[in-house]
Amino acid sequence: MALWGGRFSNKPTDAVFALSQSISFDWRLAPYDLRSSLAHLAVLEKARLISKDDSGKIREALKELIGEVSSGKFLPDDSDEDVHSALERGLTEKLGTLGGALRAGRSRNDQVTTDLRLFAIDHMLSLALMLTEMIEVILDKASEYANDAAPGFTHIQHAQPISFGHEIAKHAHAFARDIDRINDWIQRTSVSSLGAGALSGSSLELDPVFTAKNLGFERSFENSIDAVSDRDYVAEALFITSLIGVHLSRIGEEWTLLGSTEFSWAKIADEYSTGSSIMPQKKNPDMAELARGKSGRLIGNLMSVLTMLKGLPFAYNRDLQEDKEPLFDSLDTLDLVIPAVSGMIATTNFNREKMKLSAPTGFSLATEIADYLVRKNVPFAQAHEAAGACVALCEKTSCELHELSDHQFAEIHPSLDPSVREVLTIQGALASRTTAGGTAPSQVLVQISNAKKKTLDQRKEITSKMKAFSEMMGA
């Protein structure tokens, strides 16, 4: 069923219809379209543009359709151009010509962006809740290894000893920021477009603010042209999903490296690994690799929408039909990846002894020598130079820092007395990093505790918003 055509003599060719139709993907908006139709019906009745009796019949038919769409009893057919035409067909099948009364005062232009905003808010809230669950998994694993030493890396080179729990916990903070971004995004996205019409508003006595409140939006549009042409909320949602993908990709990269034979730190559970069709010994970290690979898809969806938006003039353009599939795909992708990555993290075991033995290698305690000298009032530039000289001597004599003799230390700098050896231990190095946010195990446990409290607060806020949204949809 088409919602236009009165001024046309001929129907679109099959090729044109095939290119134009969006029902193959926008049917997912049906529940949101029906709910926005109930809100539009309410404002038409309020303006006395539909009689109370007719409004009651339409409302009953819309609620029947909601149930039929939910159960799968009502589905689109090959004649439907998009979700809006399919649902109007459903109404007219129930009500006859009265089913077309809802078209007064609205256009597919304001209708579709309202539907898409509702869909996006609903699914981004679900994504945020899923992130809180993954954060808890990460923090639990971090707690498990808070007291275990490992080398920290910069440039994939040994840098300084760290608590391995500190290394794991860093990912929780990245995802917590993603949740904050989702909450900020919801504030900007909570704008109703209904009442903007095709682009210029309506000559009918509608009340867009009333409609916005009915649909749970914080406010109504301020410019009707912007209302139908704005897709910032799609682009921003795709940026957030892209960044989540990047954060997942970092985990994937690290787990792939740590599980390699060369590292042999991580033992990924069989349930989150796969084998080879030709090499029977293989145990591949495919979940980690897929998390890494899917990030390209998520970033690509963002680039696709930004490129589509960059040259659109004036108000609505049909190019905007291309906003939905990238958003749907990104949300679907994360629905697949996040549970798999969470499970992989939860079931991975790390080789404590191997990490501990690796922690001092690569002269990772050199900074301790520099800090030791600073505490003796040696300017850091000189302290840095002396610590570097210790490393150079170790490389020349094939020994580790703690194996240098008292005489060798004193020759490098007179303030390097035998007490320097007290700082050349892994546990001593870790325990000394007690500044806020540092890697001392005592600090790491405080950080994890604080992060768990924040995650609980985030979950409460998200579930409250989800409850309110669910109540609005069921109204």
Side-chain angles (χ1 to χ4, degrees), residues 40-50 55 205-207 210-211:
H40 187 61
L41 174 64
V43 82
L44 290 176
E45 183 180 2
K46 178 175 179 284
R48 298 182 180 179
L49 297 169
I50 295 181
S55 178
E205 295 180 4
L206 304 181
D207 186 349
F210 173 84
T211 303

Side-chain angles (χ1 to χ4, degrees), residues 135 139 172-173 446-456:
I135 288 171
L139 293 174
H173 297 282
V446 169
Q447 295 157 24
I448 291 171
S449 177
N450 291 339
K452 285 186 174 181
K453 289 176 184 175
K454 178 179 179 179
T455 304
L456 183 60

Side-chain angles (χ1 to χ4, degrees), residues 227 238 250 261 379 459:
L238 288 172
R250 291 190 66 193
T261 302
R459 176 175 289 169

